[in-house]
Every structure is written in C-alpha cells, then in structure tokens.
Amino acid sequence: MSAGAGRRSEGSRRDLLIDIALDVIAEHGVAGTTHRRVAAAAGVPLGSTTYYFADLGDLLRAAFGRLADQVSERFEARLAPARTPGEARDAIVDYLRYDLSDEREAALSYEFYAYAVRHPEVRSMVAAWFGRSQIALERFFPPATARLIDTMIEGLCTYRGLASGPDEAEIRRALELLSPER
C-alpha cells in the first residue's frame, strides 16, 4: 500500500470517528460521550480514538467543528442563488422550513452551545459559526441587520426544537420588520 493510500485511510478513519461522535453526542449528550462509546459505535478499537484525538475535548471540538461547517455550508448554499434582499428573505424562510427540521441537529446544537458556555475554546468556535452566517447575510443586509436576522434564526431554531415555532407568515413578517424594503 502506498503512503498516500495510508494517509487517505487514516483521514477516513478520523472522519468516521468525528461523524460517529456526532451520532453519540446526539443520542447521549456530551456528558454521555466517551472514547469507549464512540469507538464501539464506530466498530473500531478503543485505541483509534485516542490515536486521532489527544483527549475527549479534542474529539468534541472536531465534532462540533464539523457540525458548524455542515450547517454553515447548507445556509450559504440556500442563500447563494439570491440576488436581492427579498430573495434572501425567501431563502431564509426556506432554510427555516426545510433545512432545520432535524431533531438530531437541534439536539447537537443545544449540546454545542451548552458545552461552549464552559469551554472558551469552543465558545470561539460558536462565535466563528455565527460570524460565518452574518457574513453570508451581509451580502443583502447592513451588518447590524444581518446580526439581528442571524439572532432571530438562532432563536427560532432553539424555539422550534422545544415548542411549536412560528409559521411561515410570522417568519416572513419578522424578516420584513428587521429588513424593510427601501
């Protein structure tokens, strides 16, 4: 086997462990996530998790980084075709209606935020995630408005995961109030 193939295999195993860690976190929470549980769920020896990740915090940071990237990429893709603030508002409504209905992802987000409260290095990851969303929104809205819209989106995601959220008309109205046509 060539050195390149070995590296791909190692990268693939590391990626697998990150994906499985997200599954374990979604099912058991951060408090119930261990190297042993992740290794068992991945069907790999326990030493694999400690080989690729210095400690559990390292694995959690990698998993939460993956989550932030996946959600950000989906949000950016949803906004990409928009050319006007009105089209951006429509894309945001679609994102909230179609891209955020996953209970697993909601649970992961709650775990990420709660973990970040006590871990400053992870808090900076959350801030970067929010920043990435705001940059995507700033294509259409002034920075202060982009931040308010992002805050609304995060709040709606939290709200919808725990209770029935606003309907499409209420979301559209809120976006219009935050970013009126000029």
Side-chain angles (χ1 to χ4, degrees), residues 22-41:
L22 285 169
D23 292 340
V24 171
I25 295 165
E27 184 175 346
H28 301 282
V30 168
T33 299
T34 63
H35 279 288
R36 185 174 306 283
R37 188 169 265 159
V38 171

Side-chain angles (χ1 to χ4, degrees), residues 90-149:
D90 290 342
I92 293 164
V93 170
D94 287 346
Y95 175 77
L96 289 165
R97 289 182 64 214
Y98 303 115
D99 297 328
L100 294 178
S101 59
D102 185 275
E103 287 182 25
R104 175 186 177 275
E105 195 168 275
L108 286 168
S109 295
Y110 304 145
E111 291 289 333
F112 189 11
Y113 300 151
Y115 189 72
V117 167
R118 290 182 179 79
H119 297 86
E121 72 282 5
V122 178
R123 189 174 306 137
S124 66
M125 292 171 64
V126 172
W129 181 8
F130 292 169
R132 190 169 166 182
S133 297
Q134 290 166 27
I135 288 168
L137 290 165
E138 286 174 9
R139 285 184 41 221
F140 308 100
F141 309 106
T145 303
R147 183 177 172 105
L148 287 171
I149 291 171

